Amino acid sequence: MQIHCVAAVRAQLGEGPLWDAARGLIWWLDIRAGMLHRHDVTTGGNAAQRLQCRLTALGLTRRDELIACGDRGFARLHIAPDLSVHVGEVLASPRERTGNRFNDGKVDDHGRFWAGTMDDAELGAHGALYRLDPGGAAKQIRTGISVPNGPCFLADGTMLMTDSPHRRITAVQLDEAGDPLAEREFARFGPSEGIPDGMTVDADDHVWVAFWDGWCVRRLSPAGRVVAEIGLPVQRPTCPVFGGPRLQHLYVTTATTGLSAAALAAQPLAGNLLRLEPGVEGLPTARFAG
C-alpha cells in the first residue's frame, strides 16, 4: 500500500488527530513540543502554532468549535478567522496527583468527552479515566491506569480503551448515563506485536489501532480479531483517524520520541502525519453536546 507523507514536521509525540469536516482540516498535536498542527486535505497545506498550555487530545462541538483536554483540564478552544487557536473557558479541572497529565481522549455519540490521565514519567499506574458530560461536570470513572489510550466506541455503544503497557484492549459496556455496567477483554497482544495505542472505528464497525513499536496499524473485527494489517515505514505510529470528503483516507500521527539517532536516520517519515488508503470508509466525527 502506498503511504503518503502529508505533513513533514518531525513531531516529537504526534497525537490526537481530529477530522474537522466543516473546515476540511485534520487537527493534530505534538504533545511533547506543545504544538497544534493543522493539515488542509484539499490544498495539502500545513500550519502549526505553539500553544499557551499543553494539550493532549481534541474534540469537536456541535457548533464546530474545538474542545480539548490538557494541563488546564477540559477546556474550550477559540478558533479565530485566520484559524489560529486560543485556549478559552476551562470547563472542568479534575484534581490529579503531582506528575500526572492528560493523554488520549474522544467524544462519544451521546456528546460526552472521555479522556484519561497518566503519570507523565510512566513510572506507575497512577492514571484515571474521566467523562466530561455536556453540562460541564467531569466524573472520574476508573483509576489505576498506566497509559490510557483510545477510547473509541462500537456501534452498540461499547467503549474500547487501552492501558497500553499491558498490551490489552478492554471493552466496557455503558448504561445510558455513561456509567460502566460490565467489562471484558477485547484483545490482547504479545511483545513482538507492539503496543496498542490510539484507535478509531470505521463504517463497518471495525477498529483500527496504531501499534507503537509495532510498525503498523491493524484492523480488528467487532469481536477483537485481527483481520488486516498495514505495515508502516515508522516504528512509532500513535493514532489513526478517518478524514477526507468521503472519509476514505486514514491519517496516522507518529512519533520520534525515544528513538536513537540511528533509528531516526533510518526512518525519515517518523514524526510526520501519514495518509493511507485503507479501502474502507470512516464515520463522521462525534460532537460534544455542551
Side-chain angles (χ1 to χ4, degrees):
M1 177 175 294
Q2 189 172 6
I3 311 294
H4 305 270
C5 173
V6 298
V9 298
R10 291 294 247 183
Q12 295 178 50
L13 184 55
E15 270 287 6
L18 175 73
W19 169 236
D20 181 346
R23 299 177 179 89
L25 299 176
I26 299 289
W27 299 96
W28 59 288
L29 299 160
D30 183 345
I31 295 176
R32 295 289 183 199
M35 300 292 289
L36 174 67
H37 293 266
R38 65 178 189 266
H39 168 69
D40 189 312
V41 304
T42 301
T43 68
N46 293 289
Q49 70 173 87
R50 191 167 299 280
L51 297 162
Q52 308 108 299
C53 65
R54 181 173 54 176
L55 301 179
T56 66
L58 302 167
L60 276 175
T61 73
R62 292 180 180 174
R63 291 176 288 181
D64 284 322
E65 300 169 334
L66 289 174
I67 190 168
C69 59
D71 288 343
R72 295 182 185 175
F74 293 98
R76 296 187 187 276
L77 306 183
H78 172 67
I79 306 174
D82 66 355
L83 297 180
S84 61
V85 173
H86 305 278
V87 179
E89 176 191 7
V90 175
L91 298 177
S93 187
R95 288 189 176 183
E96 281 285 303
R97 61 178 285 154
T98 300
N100 272 18
R101 68 163 172 87
F102 271 97
N103 197 43
D104 209 354
K106 200 172 268 86
V107 177
D108 69 16
D109 287 338
H110 295 276
R112 305 173 295 218
F113 188 22
W114 298 77
T117 62
M118 59 177 281
D119 177 2
D120 202 11
E122 300 185 32
L123 297 178
H126 306 313
L129 177 68
Y130 290 91
R131 187 191 71 230
L132 179 70
D133 291 326
K139 180 176 181 178
Q140 188 181 85
I141 301 298
R142 183 176 177 177
T143 60
I145 303 172
S146 298
V147 180
N149 274 299
C152 66
F153 303 89
L154 297 176
D156 66 0
T158 298
M159 177 174 65
L160 302 180
M161 59 173 291
T162 297
D163 194 344
S164 290
H166 298 288
R167 295 185 169 87
R168 181 175 183 258
I169 300 174
T170 299
V172 184
Q173 182 185 357
L174 303 172
D175 65 16
E176 285 297 316
D179 292 324
L181 293 173
E183 66 177 55
R184 59 181 172 81
E185 182 172 288
F186 180 75
R188 184 186 293 270
F189 303 91
S192 65
E193 296 175 284
I195 299 169
D197 202 323
M199 305 181 284
T200 193
V201 178
D202 66 26
D204 295 327
D205 208 30
H206 283 57
V207 185
W208 291 83
V209 186
F211 280 79
W212 178 278
D213 285 346
W215 299 82
C216 70
V217 291
R218 294 186 178 102
R219 188 186 192 216
L220 278 60
S221 73
R225 182 172 60 88
V226 175
V227 296
E229 176 177 311
I230 300 175
L232 300 175
V234 295
Q235 181 177 341
R236 293 183 168 170
T238 55
C239 191
V241 70
F242 283 92
R246 302 188 311 277
L247 296 167
Q248 75 275 35
H249 304 308
L250 189 68
Y251 293 86
V252 183
T253 50
T254 68
T256 59
T257 187
L259 296 178
S260 67
L264 289 172
Q267 300 174 51
L269 297 186
N272 298 339
L273 181 65
L274 307 180
R275 190 188 76 213
L276 320 177
E277 316 301 329
V280 296
E281 296 178 357
L283 295 168
T285 305
R287 309 298 184 102
F288 182 65

